[in-house]
């Protein structure tokens, strides 16, 4: 599991660094309007791709992890990718009919047509197969390769504010390029077979996961879509900048949880409660350890993050960013309760109920708040919806399992961040440069947090990691 976690951590770091490198450059070049146009097109296409996927990216991990032979694995893979291919073709037709007939899309039809590739080629996304086999090395190395090419393409082909279509093509390449490589290399691990396959047995669980997956992603992207329909491209660009910067850290926060899902699934299937409890306790501690300081640090340094990574044109996004700063905690806990407990246990129905409540709350709040508060209203709806869903996830986990959750870790992490605000205030008082304020405050806050956690609260996770690093350093020095 340590090796799997390393590669999944590498993938998370790449997924964090890629937008940190590309988004500031793109936002400075094409501005809030261009960013808004591109992101609205992507989110609209992704909403169709999400439905076409039928929950397979989530359901497939558990289905492959439970396959105990190559023949069964090939059969399961073939059944699921066939389902995805058929639904992808159907929803591609629906998507293109909508964008060519509804007047709203006419001014930027080339943009939405290009984004349609996300729907049409959605079936090529087979990371669920590799995750089910815990083959995180291939996923990570492939992602590094494609993202490096994407960075080069960005600097070559995005030179002015009119290059937003080029920017969209590069983003699509970073997604679809990954998927196509994975599909080509999958021949080393399985075979596509059409004889004897039965897709009916997958439909019921897949549809429940689909409902949950639609709900999860819909209330996560519904805010951006509604902003585009109810306001303008600039507001969408400002909102996306704020949310994007906050979400940079999320792949890292959930990285440990993603790497242990196959192991959790097997141990739950084999009723190995002691190992399940150990894995879940470790994952929960990891999420809290990272999410709390990231949320408080993001809130405190929102101004500097916006100025450094997006520029002066995005200053109006600061209040929005402060509202959504708590997102890493809610999303991290939501991932913990849903994908690490409910899905491996087969409680897809309960997951659907929780996420459906999130969709309802998101729709009601977005329609109520956006006309009056714009992007801040959408951010508020986003936070409340995530809180509702995470709370219901916890309710169902608590109802069906006896799992000890150490909530005191939340308080200890928050108390360890108590000096963040005065540190940021002093940095702003002595330095005018937002880069210096961000760098010095970030380093100082991180050191203070680690010291509090290590020596005052005796964080066992941090002690274990620091002891391992110290031992490796000793061994290296002895050589």
């Amino acid at each position: 599991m340590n090796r799997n976690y390393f590669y999944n951590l590498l993938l998370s770091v790449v997924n964090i660094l890629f937008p940190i490198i590309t988004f500031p450059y793109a936002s400075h070049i094409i501005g809030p309007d261009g960013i808004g146009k591109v992101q609205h097109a992507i989110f609209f296409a992704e909403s169709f791709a999400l439905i076409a996927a039928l929950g397979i990216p989530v359901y497939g991990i558990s289905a492959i992890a439970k396959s105990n032979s190559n023949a069964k694995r090939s059969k399961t893979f073939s059944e699921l990718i066939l389902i995805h291919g058929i639904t992808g073709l159907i929803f591609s037709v629906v998507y293109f009919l909508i964008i060519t007939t509804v007047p709203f899309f006419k001014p930027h039809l080339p943009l939405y047509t290009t984004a349609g590739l996300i729907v049409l080629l959605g079936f090529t996304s087979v990371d669920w197969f590799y995750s089910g086999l815990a083959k995180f090395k291939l996923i990570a190395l492939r992602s590094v390769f494609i993202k490096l090419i994407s960075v080069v393409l960005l600097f070559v082909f995005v030179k002015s504010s009119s290059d937003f279509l080029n920017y969209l093509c590069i983003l699509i390449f970073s997604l679809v390029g990954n998927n196509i490589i994975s599909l080509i290399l999958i021949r080393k691990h399985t075979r596509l077979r059409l004889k004897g396959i039965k897709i009916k047995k997958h439909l019921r669980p897949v549809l429940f996961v689909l409902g949950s997956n639609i709900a999860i992603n819909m209330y996560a992207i519904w805010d951006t879509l509604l902003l585009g329909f109810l306001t303008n491209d600039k507001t969408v660009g400002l909102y996306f900048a704020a949310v994007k910067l906050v979400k940079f850290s999320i792949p890292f926060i959930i990285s440990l949880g993603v790497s242990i899902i196959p192991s959790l699934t097997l141990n739950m299937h084999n009723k190995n409660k002691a190992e399940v409890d150990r894995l879940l306790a470790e994952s929960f501690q990891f999420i809290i350890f990272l999410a709390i300081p990231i949320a408080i640090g993001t809130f405190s340094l929102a101004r500097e993050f916006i100025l450094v990574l997006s520029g002066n044109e995005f200053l109006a996004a600061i209040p929005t960013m402060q509202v959504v700063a708590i997102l890493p905690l809610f999303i991290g806990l939501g991932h913990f309760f849903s994908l690490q407990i409910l899905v491996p246990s087969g409680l897809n129905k309960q997951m659907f109920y929780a996420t459906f409540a999130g969709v309802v709350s998101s729709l009601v709040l977005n329609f109520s708040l956006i006309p009056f508060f714009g992007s801040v209203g959408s951010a508020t709806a986003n936070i409340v919806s995530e809180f509702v869903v995470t709370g219901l996830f916890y309710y169902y986990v608590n109802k069906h399992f006896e799992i000890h959750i150490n909530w005191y870790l939340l308080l200890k992490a928050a108390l360890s961040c108590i000096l963040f605000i005065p540190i940021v205030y002093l940095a702003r008082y002595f330095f005018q440069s937002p880069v210096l304020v961000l760098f010095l405050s970030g380093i100082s806050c991180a050191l203070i947090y680690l010291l509090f956690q290590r020596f005052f609260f005796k964080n066992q996770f941090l002690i274990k990691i620091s002891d391992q690093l110290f031992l490796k350093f000793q061994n290296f020095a002895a050589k």
Side-chain angles (χ1 to χ4, degrees), residues 422-452:
I423 287 173
V424 173
Y425 176 80
L426 288 173
R428 286 174 178 164
Y429 182 79
F430 287 107
F431 303 100
Q432 298 298 314
S433 168
V435 175
L436 272 178
V437 173
L438 185 61
F439 177 75
L440 295 175
S441 297
I443 295 294
S444 302
C445 290
L447 287 174
I448 289 293
Y449 179 75
L450 291 174
L451 289 172
F452 264 81

PDB file of all heavy atoms in Angstrom, residues 422-452:
ATOM      1  N   PRO A 422      -2.746  36.445  13.024  1.00  0.00           N
ATOM      2  CA  PRO A 422      -1.733  37.455  13.370  1.00  0.00           C
ATOM      3  C   PRO A 422      -0.459  37.359  12.538  1.00  0.00           C
ATOM      4  O   PRO A 422       0.172  38.385  12.239  1.00  0.00           O
ATOM      5  CB  PRO A 422      -1.438  37.186  14.857  1.00  0.00           C
ATOM      6  CG  PRO A 422      -2.023  35.866  15.162  1.00  0.00           C
ATOM      7  CD  PRO A 422      -3.130  35.663  14.204  1.00  0.00           C
ATOM      8  N   ILE A 423      -0.071  36.163  12.132  1.00  0.00           N
ATOM      9  CA  ILE A 423       1.116  36.009  11.274  1.00  0.00           C
ATOM     10  C   ILE A 423       0.886  36.698   9.930  1.00  0.00           C
ATOM     11  O   ILE A 423       1.754  37.435   9.433  1.00  0.00           O
ATOM     12  CB  ILE A 423       1.444  34.508  11.064  1.00  0.00           C
ATOM     13  CG1 ILE A 423       2.044  33.914  12.343  1.00  0.00           C
ATOM     14  CG2 ILE A 423       2.423  34.334   9.900  1.00  0.00           C
ATOM     15  CD1 ILE A 423       2.238  32.412  12.272  1.00  0.00           C
ATOM     16  N   VAL A 424      -0.279  36.489   9.344  1.00  0.00           N
ATOM     17  CA  VAL A 424      -0.598  37.117   8.055  1.00  0.00           C
ATOM     18  C   VAL A 424      -0.675  38.632   8.211  1.00  0.00           C
ATOM     19  O   VAL A 424      -0.175  39.393   7.360  1.00  0.00           O
ATOM     20  CB  VAL A 424      -1.924  36.564   7.497  1.00  0.00           C
ATOM     21  CG1 VAL A 424      -2.350  37.341   6.248  1.00  0.00           C
ATOM     22  CG2 VAL A 424      -1.793  35.084   7.169  1.00  0.00           C
ATOM     23  N   TYR A 425      -1.280  39.092   9.302  1.00  0.00           N
ATOM     24  CA  TYR A 425      -1.405  40.537   9.556  1.00  0.00           C
ATOM     25  C   TYR A 425      -0.016  41.180   9.644  1.00  0.00           C
ATOM     26  O   TYR A 425       0.226  42.252   9.051  1.00  0.00           O
ATOM     27  CB  TYR A 425      -2.180  40.778  10.844  1.00  0.00           C
ATOM     28  CG  TYR A 425      -2.270  42.232  11.237  1.00  0.00           C
ATOM     29  CD1 TYR A 425      -3.207  43.081  10.634  1.00  0.00           C
ATOM     30  CD2 TYR A 425      -1.399  42.768  12.183  1.00  0.00           C
ATOM     31  CE1 TYR A 425      -3.274  44.424  10.976  1.00  0.00           C
ATOM     32  CE2 TYR A 425      -1.463  44.112  12.537  1.00  0.00           C
ATOM     33  CZ  TYR A 425      -2.402  44.929  11.930  1.00  0.00           C
ATOM     34  OH  TYR A 425      -2.464  46.259  12.267  1.00  0.00           O
ATOM     35  N   LEU A 426       0.904  40.567  10.375  1.00  0.00           N
ATOM     36  CA  LEU A 426       2.259  41.103  10.514  1.00  0.00           C
ATOM     37  C   LEU A 426       3.002  41.088   9.185  1.00  0.00           C
ATOM     38  O   LEU A 426       3.737  42.023   8.848  1.00  0.00           O
ATOM     39  CB  LEU A 426       3.037  40.294  11.559  1.00  0.00           C
ATOM     40  CG  LEU A 426       2.610  40.509  13.015  1.00  0.00           C
ATOM     41  CD1 LEU A 426       3.327  39.529  13.932  1.00  0.00           C
ATOM     42  CD2 LEU A 426       2.904  41.949  13.455  1.00  0.00           C
ATOM     43  N   ALA A 427       2.823  40.035   8.408  1.00  0.00           N
ATOM     44  CA  ALA A 427       3.481  39.962   7.099  1.00  0.00           C
ATOM     45  C   ALA A 427       2.990  41.084   6.196  1.00  0.00           C
ATOM     46  O   ALA A 427       3.781  41.722   5.471  1.00  0.00           O
ATOM     47  CB  ALA A 427       3.217  38.602   6.458  1.00  0.00           C
ATOM     48  N   ARG A 428       1.698  41.376   6.214  1.00  0.00           N
ATOM     49  CA  ARG A 428       1.152  42.461   5.396  1.00  0.00           C
ATOM     50  C   ARG A 428       1.635  43.826   5.896  1.00  0.00           C
ATOM     51  O   ARG A 428       1.795  44.760   5.111  1.00  0.00           O
ATOM     52  CB  ARG A 428      -0.378  42.409   5.422  1.00  0.00           C
ATOM     53  CG  ARG A 428      -0.977  41.278   4.591  1.00  0.00           C
ATOM     54  CD  ARG A 428      -2.475  41.211   4.774  1.00  0.00           C
ATOM     55  NE  ARG A 428      -3.068  40.168   3.938  1.00  0.00           N
ATOM     56  CZ  ARG A 428      -4.291  39.680   4.108  1.00  0.00           C
ATOM     57  NH1 ARG A 428      -5.070  40.167   5.094  1.00  0.00           N
ATOM     58  NH2 ARG A 428      -4.754  38.740   3.306  1.00  0.00           N
ATOM     59  N   TYR A 429       1.855  43.935   7.205  1.00  0.00           N
ATOM     60  CA  TYR A 429       2.296  45.204   7.800  1.00  0.00           C
ATOM     61  C   TYR A 429       3.727  45.540   7.375  1.00  0.00           C
ATOM     62  O   TYR A 429       4.047  46.696   7.064  1.00  0.00           O
ATOM     63  CB  TYR A 429       2.201  45.115   9.319  1.00  0.00           C
ATOM     64  CG  TYR A 429       2.597  46.384  10.033  1.00  0.00           C
ATOM     65  CD1 TYR A 429       1.711  47.462  10.126  1.00  0.00           C
ATOM     66  CD2 TYR A 429       3.870  46.520  10.594  1.00  0.00           C
ATOM     67  CE1 TYR A 429       2.085  48.635  10.778  1.00  0.00           C
ATOM     68  CE2 TYR A 429       4.248  47.676  11.254  1.00  0.00           C
ATOM     69  CZ  TYR A 429       3.350  48.729  11.338  1.00  0.00           C
ATOM     70  OH  TYR A 429       3.727  49.895  11.976  1.00  0.00           O
ATOM     71  N   PHE A 430       4.588  44.530   7.306  1.00  0.00           N
ATOM     72  CA  PHE A 430       6.004  44.762   7.026  1.00  0.00           C
ATOM     73  C   PHE A 430       6.359  44.653   5.535  1.00  0.00           C
ATOM     74  O   PHE A 430       7.395  45.162   5.107  1.00  0.00           O
ATOM     75  CB  PHE A 430       6.871  43.776   7.818  1.00  0.00           C
ATOM     76  CG  PHE A 430       6.941  44.084   9.289  1.00  0.00           C
ATOM     77  CD1 PHE A 430       6.275  43.291  10.205  1.00  0.00           C
ATOM     78  CD2 PHE A 430       7.652  45.186   9.753  1.00  0.00           C
ATOM     79  CE1 PHE A 430       6.325  43.568  11.560  1.00  0.00           C
ATOM     80  CE2 PHE A 430       7.706  45.477  11.103  1.00  0.00           C
ATOM     81  CZ  PHE A 430       7.042  44.674  12.026  1.00  0.00           C
ATOM     82  N   PHE A 431       5.517  43.980   4.750  1.00  0.00           N
ATOM     83  CA  PHE A 431       5.852  43.767   3.335  1.00  0.00           C
ATOM     84  C   PHE A 431       4.679  44.178   2.447  1.00  0.00           C
ATOM     85  O   PHE A 431       3.529  43.878   2.751  1.00  0.00           O
ATOM     86  CB  PHE A 431       6.210  42.301   3.076  1.00  0.00           C
ATOM     87  CG  PHE A 431       7.354  41.789   3.915  1.00  0.00           C
ATOM     88  CD1 PHE A 431       7.097  41.033   5.048  1.00  0.00           C
ATOM     89  CD2 PHE A 431       8.667  42.081   3.577  1.00  0.00           C
ATOM     90  CE1 PHE A 431       8.142  40.557   5.834  1.00  0.00           C
ATOM     91  CE2 PHE A 431       9.718  41.614   4.354  1.00  0.00           C
ATOM     92  CZ  PHE A 431       9.462  40.856   5.488  1.00  0.00           C
ATOM     93  N   GLN A 432       4.996  44.822   1.345  1.00  0.00           N
ATOM     94  CA  GLN A 432       3.975  45.251   0.390  1.00  0.00           C
ATOM     95  C   GLN A 432       3.741  44.221  -0.711  1.00  0.00           C
ATOM     96  O   GLN A 432       2.657  44.144  -1.276  1.00  0.00           O
ATOM     97  CB  GLN A 432       4.394  46.586  -0.253  1.00  0.00           C
ATOM     98  CG  GLN A 432       4.524  47.729   0.732  1.00  0.00           C
ATOM     99  CD  GLN A 432       3.206  48.042   1.424  1.00  0.00           C
ATOM    100  OE1 GLN A 432       2.163  48.132   0.778  1.00  0.00           O
ATOM    101  NE2 GLN A 432       3.245  48.209   2.738  1.00  0.00           N
ATOM    102  N   SER A 433       4.769  43.454  -1.026  1.00  0.00           N
ATOM    103  CA  SER A 433       4.671  42.493  -2.122  1.00  0.00           C
ATOM    104  C   SER A 433       3.760  41.315  -1.750  1.00  0.00           C
ATOM    105  O   SER A 433       4.014  40.631  -0.755  1.00  0.00           O
ATOM    106  CB  SER A 433       6.065  41.963  -2.479  1.00  0.00           C
ATOM    107  OG  SER A 433       5.973  40.838  -3.330  1.00  0.00           O
ATOM    108  N   PRO A 434       2.710  41.040  -2.536  1.00  0.00           N
ATOM    109  CA  PRO A 434       1.840  39.896  -2.241  1.00  0.00           C
ATOM    110  C   PRO A 434       2.582  38.566  -2.342  1.00  0.00           C
ATOM    111  O   PRO A 434       2.246  37.613  -1.631  1.00  0.00           O
ATOM    112  CB  PRO A 434       0.725  39.991  -3.289  1.00  0.00           C
ATOM    113  CG  PRO A 434       1.260  40.875  -4.361  1.00  0.00           C
ATOM    114  CD  PRO A 434       2.218  41.806  -3.708  1.00  0.00           C
ATOM    115  N   VAL A 435       3.606  38.502  -3.200  1.00  0.00           N
ATOM    116  CA  VAL A 435       4.390  37.267  -3.308  1.00  0.00           C
ATOM    117  C   VAL A 435       5.139  37.002  -2.005  1.00  0.00           C
ATOM    118  O   VAL A 435       5.137  35.867  -1.489  1.00  0.00           O
ATOM    119  CB  VAL A 435       5.391  37.358  -4.484  1.00  0.00           C
ATOM    120  CG1 VAL A 435       6.288  36.123  -4.521  1.00  0.00           C
ATOM    121  CG2 VAL A 435       4.655  37.510  -5.800  1.00  0.00           C
ATOM    122  N   LEU A 436       5.760  38.033  -1.455  1.00  0.00           N
ATOM    123  CA  LEU A 436       6.493  37.880  -0.189  1.00  0.00           C
ATOM    124  C   LEU A 436       5.550  37.545   0.962  1.00  0.00           C
ATOM    125  O   LEU A 436       5.842  36.686   1.794  1.00  0.00           O
ATOM    126  CB  LEU A 436       7.260  39.164   0.134  1.00  0.00           C
ATOM    127  CG  LEU A 436       8.668  39.300  -0.444  1.00  0.00           C
ATOM    128  CD1 LEU A 436       9.271  40.648  -0.074  1.00  0.00           C
ATOM    129  CD2 LEU A 436       9.550  38.162   0.058  1.00  0.00           C
ATOM    130  N   VAL A 437       4.409  38.232   1.002  1.00  0.00           N
ATOM    131  CA  VAL A 437       3.427  37.962   2.056  1.00  0.00           C
ATOM    132  C   VAL A 437       2.953  36.515   1.982  1.00  0.00           C
ATOM    133  O   VAL A 437       2.887  35.810   3.004  1.00  0.00           O
ATOM    134  CB  VAL A 437       2.226  38.929   1.956  1.00  0.00           C
ATOM    135  CG1 VAL A 437       1.129  38.523   2.952  1.00  0.00           C
ATOM    136  CG2 VAL A 437       2.671  40.355   2.232  1.00  0.00           C
ATOM    137  N   LEU A 438       2.646  36.054   0.778  1.00  0.00           N
ATOM    138  CA  LEU A 438       2.169  34.682   0.597  1.00  0.00           C
ATOM    139  C   LEU A 438       3.245  33.672   0.988  1.00  0.00           C
ATOM    140  O   LEU A 438       2.972  32.701   1.713  1.00  0.00           O
ATOM    141  CB  LEU A 438       1.754  34.471  -0.870  1.00  0.00           C
ATOM    142  CG  LEU A 438       1.121  33.129  -1.228  1.00  0.00           C
ATOM    143  CD1 LEU A 438      -0.165  32.906  -0.441  1.00  0.00           C
ATOM    144  CD2 LEU A 438       0.837  33.054  -2.726  1.00  0.00           C
ATOM    145  N   PHE A 439       4.469  33.897   0.535  1.00  0.00           N
ATOM    146  CA  PHE A 439       5.557  32.951   0.803  1.00  0.00           C
ATOM    147  C   PHE A 439       5.916  32.911   2.287  1.00  0.00           C
ATOM    148  O   PHE A 439       5.963  31.830   2.898  1.00  0.00           O
ATOM    149  CB  PHE A 439       6.784  33.347  -0.025  1.00  0.00           C
ATOM    150  CG  PHE A 439       7.980  32.475   0.233  1.00  0.00           C
ATOM    151  CD1 PHE A 439       8.043  31.193  -0.281  1.00  0.00           C
ATOM    152  CD2 PHE A 439       9.039  32.947   1.007  1.00  0.00           C
ATOM    153  CE1 PHE A 439       9.142  30.378  -0.038  1.00  0.00           C
ATOM    154  CE2 PHE A 439      10.139  32.144   1.261  1.00  0.00           C
ATOM    155  CZ  PHE A 439      10.191  30.853   0.735  1.00  0.00           C
ATOM    156  N   LEU A 440       6.160  34.086   2.881  1.00  0.00           N
ATOM    157  CA  LEU A 440       6.584  34.123   4.282  1.00  0.00           C
ATOM    158  C   LEU A 440       5.478  33.671   5.228  1.00  0.00           C
ATOM    159  O   LEU A 440       5.728  32.936   6.195  1.00  0.00           O
ATOM    160  CB  LEU A 440       7.051  35.540   4.649  1.00  0.00           C
ATOM    161  CG  LEU A 440       8.312  36.025   3.913  1.00  0.00           C
ATOM    162  CD1 LEU A 440       8.603  37.486   4.256  1.00  0.00           C
ATOM    163  CD2 LEU A 440       9.509  35.157   4.302  1.00  0.00           C
ATOM    164  N   SER A 441       4.252  34.092   4.952  1.00  0.00           N
ATOM    165  CA  SER A 441       3.129  33.668   5.800  1.00  0.00           C
ATOM    166  C   SER A 441       2.903  32.165   5.678  1.00  0.00           C
ATOM    167  O   SER A 441       2.669  31.485   6.678  1.00  0.00           O
ATOM    168  CB  SER A 441       1.849  34.411   5.396  1.00  0.00           C
ATOM    169  OG  SER A 441       1.972  35.784   5.590  1.00  0.00           O
ATOM    170  N   GLY A 442       2.970  31.654   4.447  1.00  0.00           N
ATOM    171  CA  GLY A 442       2.763  30.217   4.235  1.00  0.00           C
ATOM    172  C   GLY A 442       3.788  29.380   4.985  1.00  0.00           C
ATOM    173  O   GLY A 442       3.442  28.412   5.674  1.00  0.00           O
ATOM    174  N   ILE A 443       5.072  29.751   4.868  1.00  0.00           N
ATOM    175  CA  ILE A 443       6.129  29.015   5.565  1.00  0.00           C
ATOM    176  C   ILE A 443       5.962  29.111   7.070  1.00  0.00           C
ATOM    177  O   ILE A 443       6.043  28.104   7.802  1.00  0.00           O
ATOM    178  CB  ILE A 443       7.517  29.557   5.159  1.00  0.00           C
ATOM    179  CG1 ILE A 443       7.775  29.298   3.669  1.00  0.00           C
ATOM    180  CG2 ILE A 443       8.614  28.938   6.008  1.00  0.00           C
ATOM    181  CD1 ILE A 443       7.899  27.841   3.306  1.00  0.00           C
ATOM    182  N   SER A 444       5.698  30.307   7.571  1.00  0.00           N
ATOM    183  CA  SER A 444       5.568  30.515   9.019  1.00  0.00           C
ATOM    184  C   SER A 444       4.366  29.762   9.588  1.00  0.00           C
ATOM    185  O   SER A 444       4.467  29.106  10.632  1.00  0.00           O
ATOM    186  CB  SER A 444       5.436  32.017   9.328  1.00  0.00           C
ATOM    187  OG  SER A 444       6.545  32.732   8.845  1.00  0.00           O
ATOM    188  N   CYS A 445       3.233  29.857   8.896  1.00  0.00           N
ATOM    189  CA  CYS A 445       2.023  29.175   9.365  1.00  0.00           C
ATOM    190  C   CYS A 445       2.211  27.658   9.366  1.00  0.00           C
ATOM    191  O   CYS A 445       1.792  26.969  10.305  1.00  0.00           O
ATOM    192  CB  CYS A 445       0.831  29.553   8.500  1.00  0.00           C
ATOM    193  SG  CYS A 445       0.273  31.258   8.698  1.00  0.00           S
ATOM    194  N   ALA A 446       2.858  27.134   8.318  1.00  0.00           N
ATOM    195  CA  ALA A 446       3.090  25.690   8.237  1.00  0.00           C
ATOM    196  C   ALA A 446       3.981  25.216   9.387  1.00  0.00           C
ATOM    197  O   ALA A 446       3.705  24.192  10.027  1.00  0.00           O
ATOM    198  CB  ALA A 446       3.730  25.336   6.892  1.00  0.00           C
ATOM    199  N   LEU A 447       5.042  25.964   9.685  1.00  0.00           N
ATOM    200  CA  LEU A 447       5.948  25.587  10.778  1.00  0.00           C
ATOM    201  C   LEU A 447       5.235  25.633  12.128  1.00  0.00           C
ATOM    202  O   LEU A 447       5.389  24.724  12.956  1.00  0.00           O
ATOM    203  CB  LEU A 447       7.163  26.512  10.790  1.00  0.00           C
ATOM    204  CG  LEU A 447       8.180  26.291   9.659  1.00  0.00           C
ATOM    205  CD1 LEU A 447       9.266  27.370   9.703  1.00  0.00           C
ATOM    206  CD2 LEU A 447       8.802  24.904   9.772  1.00  0.00           C
ATOM    207  N   ILE A 448       4.472  26.697  12.357  1.00  0.00           N
ATOM    208  CA  ILE A 448       3.728  26.817  13.621  1.00  0.00           C
ATOM    209  C   ILE A 448       2.753  25.661  13.782  1.00  0.00           C
ATOM    210  O   ILE A 448       2.640  25.053  14.858  1.00  0.00           O
ATOM    211  CB  ILE A 448       2.963  28.166  13.664  1.00  0.00           C
ATOM    212  CG1 ILE A 448       3.935  29.329  13.822  1.00  0.00           C
ATOM    213  CG2 ILE A 448       1.932  28.175  14.792  1.00  0.00           C
ATOM    214  CD1 ILE A 448       4.649  29.366  15.166  1.00  0.00           C
ATOM    215  N   TYR A 449       2.048  25.341  12.701  1.00  0.00           N
ATOM    216  CA  TYR A 449       1.067  24.253  12.755  1.00  0.00           C
ATOM    217  C   TYR A 449       1.736  22.919  13.070  1.00  0.00           C
ATOM    218  O   TYR A 449       1.272  22.154  13.929  1.00  0.00           O
ATOM    219  CB  TYR A 449       0.334  24.167  11.418  1.00  0.00           C
ATOM    220  CG  TYR A 449      -0.697  23.048  11.362  1.00  0.00           C
ATOM    221  CD1 TYR A 449      -1.913  23.167  12.022  1.00  0.00           C
ATOM    222  CD2 TYR A 449      -0.433  21.888  10.640  1.00  0.00           C
ATOM    223  CE1 TYR A 449      -2.853  22.155  11.973  1.00  0.00           C
ATOM    224  CE2 TYR A 449      -1.369  20.862  10.577  1.00  0.00           C
ATOM    225  CZ  TYR A 449      -2.571  21.001  11.250  1.00  0.00           C
ATOM    226  OH  TYR A 449      -3.488  19.977  11.215  1.00  0.00           O
ATOM    227  N   LEU A 450       2.837  22.629  12.394  1.00  0.00           N
ATOM    228  CA  LEU A 450       3.541  21.360  12.621  1.00  0.00           C
ATOM    229  C   LEU A 450       4.094  21.274  14.044  1.00  0.00           C
ATOM    230  O   LEU A 450       4.044  20.205  14.669  1.00  0.00           O
ATOM    231  CB  LEU A 450       4.677  21.213  11.603  1.00  0.00           C
ATOM    232  CG  LEU A 450       4.254  21.001  10.146  1.00  0.00           C
ATOM    233  CD1 LEU A 450       5.461  21.020   9.226  1.00  0.00           C
ATOM    234  CD2 LEU A 450       3.481  19.688   9.989  1.00  0.00           C
ATOM    235  N   LEU A 451       4.604  22.372  14.552  1.00  0.00           N
ATOM    236  CA  LEU A 451       5.130  22.375  15.922  1.00  0.00           C
ATOM    237  C   LEU A 451       4.021  22.119  16.946  1.00  0.00           C
ATOM    238  O   LEU A 451       4.196  21.345  17.891  1.00  0.00           O
ATOM    239  CB  LEU A 451       5.834  23.704  16.214  1.00  0.00           C
ATOM    240  CG  LEU A 451       7.169  23.924  15.496  1.00  0.00           C
ATOM    241  CD1 LEU A 451       7.667  25.354  15.704  1.00  0.00           C
ATOM    242  CD2 LEU A 451       8.207  22.927  16.000  1.00  0.00           C
ATOM    243  N   PHE A 452       2.881  22.798  16.763  1.00  0.00           N
ATOM    244  CA  PHE A 452       1.738  22.576  17.663  1.00  0.00           C
ATOM    245  C   PHE A 452       1.287  21.118  17.622  1.00  0.00           C
ATOM    246  O   PHE A 452       1.052  20.490  18.662  1.00  0.00           O
ATOM    247  CB  PHE A 452       0.572  23.493  17.266  1.00  0.00           C
ATOM    248  CG  PHE A 452       0.499  24.769  18.047  1.00  0.00           C
ATOM    249  CD1 PHE A 452       1.301  25.850  17.724  1.00  0.00           C
ATOM    250  CD2 PHE A 452      -0.366  24.892  19.125  1.00  0.00           C
ATOM    251  CE1 PHE A 452       1.241  27.029  18.446  1.00  0.00           C
ATOM    252  CE2 PHE A 452      -0.447  26.060  19.854  1.00  0.00           C
ATOM    253  CZ  PHE A 452       0.372  27.144  19.514  1.00  0.00           C
TER     254      PHE A 452
END
